[in-house]
């Protein structure tokens, strides 16, 4: 029987990326349904009810949504982080969950440097700023995004350190990145520290006073990872205690934290008005098409690469 694939993107892909995703689904002989720019959970619950597979981005696929997905066999996160899907409930319902690692890594990496240069140059206020060349950059986690950031950092002439307990020393060495001996060692060495850890039970609230206080004078923290990994109360304490500390983030903190950062520390903070990391034409195409192809491979060839929930 023909399959139905839902493309559910509250934050849509470009029209061209969407059309190419739909074309792959149709070429496989499947039905493509598109749900874009929707508001609230109800439209997703309705649309997912008839889907055999779904492609999604930061859309929330919680237990309530998965309960409604009576035919669903596969959910593909067009992107890297899959903390927005309840993977355990999916597993219990025999729904495989995949991501598309690396497909938007360059887009995120470029944004890191766009934000860094903007803040290092005082938000282009006409006064003397600073350069990135010769500075130290720490990468907290060395997955596909961390590696993209390392490549670009080399072009800027930065010295790059990395810490990732899941990555072998030779992988750091091959990328010209010096492996820090511990997470504390990484923060102590890094004038710029870029977060690339996922949001998990272990990492939530883990970036706070203890680590940030270790960073050298003039430190800048960069967050293109997840809001939840930051201990926001402690971040504000660090801002109070250190007039040299700066923060750039593509991930909106809570409204209260954002308001305090803006009111009290605006010169030392840059927050993107919307999450921009993966919002390039290229990343939309890369991640969207990879997701569509993974769905066809799963149904036609039982290709189970990229499954992240142990099925
Ligand atoms: C990811 O995990 O791939 C990024 O956070 C991108 O998220 P987005 O698809 O919602 O922009």
């Amino acid at each position: 029987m023909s399959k139905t694939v839902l493309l559910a993107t509250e934050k849509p892909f470009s029209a061209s990326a969407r059309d190419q995703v739909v074309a792959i689904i149709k070429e496989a002989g499947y039905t493509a349904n598109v749900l874009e720019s929707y508001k609230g959970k109800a439209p997703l619950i309705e649309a997912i009810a008839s889907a055999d597979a779904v492609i999604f981005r930061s859309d929330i696929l919680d237990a309530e949504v998965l309960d409604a997905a009576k035919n669903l066999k596969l959910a593909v996160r067009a992107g890297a982080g899959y903390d927005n899907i309840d993977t355990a409930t999916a597993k219990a319902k025999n729904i495989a969950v995949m991501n598309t690692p690396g497909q938007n890594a360059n887009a995120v990496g470029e944004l890191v440097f766009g934000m860094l240069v903007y803040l290092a140059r005082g938000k282009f206020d006409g006064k003397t700023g600073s350069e990135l060349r010769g500075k130290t950059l720490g990468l907290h986690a060395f997955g596909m995004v961390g590696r993209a950031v390392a490549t670009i950092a080399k072009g800027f002439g930065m010295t790059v350190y990395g810490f990732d307990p899941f990555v072998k020393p030779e992988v750091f060495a091959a990328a010209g990145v010096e492996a820090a001996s511990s997470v504390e060692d990484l923060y102590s060495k890094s004038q710029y520290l870029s977060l690339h850890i996922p949001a998990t039970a272990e990492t939530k609230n883990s970036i706070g006073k203890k680590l940030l206080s270790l960073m050298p004078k003039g430190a800048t923290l960069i967050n293109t990872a997840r809001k939840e990994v930051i201990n926001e109360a402690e971040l504000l304490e660090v801002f109070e205690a250190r007039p040299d500390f700066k923060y750039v983030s593509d991930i909106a903190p809570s409204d209260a934290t954002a308001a305090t950062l803006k009111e009290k520390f605006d010169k030392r903070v840059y927050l993107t008005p919307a999450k921009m990391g993966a919002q390039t034409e290229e990343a939309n195409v890369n991640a969207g098409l990879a997701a569509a192809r993974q769905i066809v491979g799963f149904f036609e060839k039982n290709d189970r690469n990229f499954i992240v929930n142990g099925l």
Side-chain angles (χ1 to χ4, degrees), residues 25-294:
I25 296 167
K26 286 188 175 165
E27 261 163 45
Y30 306 160
T31 302
N33 290 336
V34 176
L35 176 70
E36 289 179 327
S37 310
Y38 62 95
K39 296 273 170 284
K41 221 192 267 187
L44 179 58
I45 286 177
E46 195 185 325
I48 209 165
S50 58
D52 296 281
V54 60
I55 299 171
F56 63 105
R57 298 184 67 182
S58 287
D59 310 68
I60 308 292
L61 271 66
D62 59 14
E64 190 187 355
V65 172
L66 294 173
D67 270 344
K70 300 292 180 215
N71 300 337
L72 202 66
K73 299 283 171 298
L74 175 62
V76 185
R77 200 293 189 216
Y82 47 88
D83 47 307
N84 49 318
I85 178 164
D86 182 340
T87 48
T89 297
K91 187 175 181 186
K93 291 179 173 297
N94 207 28
I95 300 167
V97 177
M98 294 180 178
N99 65 351
T100 64
Q103 300 293 348
N104 57 27
N106 184 66
V108 181
E110 289 189 12
L111 183 73
V112 165
F113 288 89
M115 295 194 298
L116 279 193
V117 170
Y118 182 60
L119 202 71
R121 294 300 183 95
K123 302 188 182 178
F124 305 150
D125 64 355
K127 298 190 184 133
T128 301
S130 65
E131 301 181 21
L132 300 182
R133 186 171 62 176
K135 304 295 191 310
T136 56
L137 170 72
L139 302 171
H140 191 167
F142 201 57
M144 301 302 268
V145 182
R147 290 170 211 204
V149 172
T151 302
I152 301 170
K154 294 270 156 192
F156 273 92
M158 302 183 89
T159 302
V160 188
Y161 297 97
F163 178 75
D164 192 325
F166 303 103
V167 170
K168 294 198 176 90
E170 50 267 34
V171 175
F172 284 114
V177 173
E178 197 175 310
S181 58
S182 65
V183 71
E184 289 81 11
D185 181 43
L186 180 76
Y187 280 70
S188 307
K189 285 180 163 135
S190 303
Q191 292 167 294
Y192 291 89
L193 191 294
S194 195
L195 295 170
H196 300 295
I197 47 179
T200 64
E202 292 75 40
T203 64
K204 279 181 187 168
N205 277 314
S206 66
I207 309 302
K209 204 163 45 176
K210 192 169 148 273
L211 289 175
L212 300 178
S213 302
L214 296 172
M215 292 179 72
K217 195 166 163 33
T220 301
L221 177 68
I222 306 117
N223 186 4
T224 55
R226 285 294 181 269
K227 163 188 189 292
E228 293 81 1
V229 302
I230 303 279
N231 183 322
E232 293 186 7
E234 291 189 9
L235 177 71
L236 293 176
E237 277 183 50
V238 172
F239 264 96
E240 292 284 0
R242 290 187 59 165
D244 63 311
F245 189 82
K246 302 186 195 75
Y247 184 51
V248 295
S249 180
D250 185 36
I251 315 292
S254 70
D255 289 349
T257 300
T260 307
L261 287 172
K262 196 163 176 43
E263 261 164 44
K264 298 180 78 172
F265 310 111
D266 192 43
K267 201 69 207 149
R268 296 192 269 140
V269 176
Y270 178 69
L271 307 174
T272 54
K275 190 177 167 200
M276 294 299 298
Q279 279 300 60
T280 64
E281 174 67 26
E282 294 85 346
N284 286 180
V285 167
N286 292 344
L289 271 59
R293 290 185 182 123
Q294 284 171 214

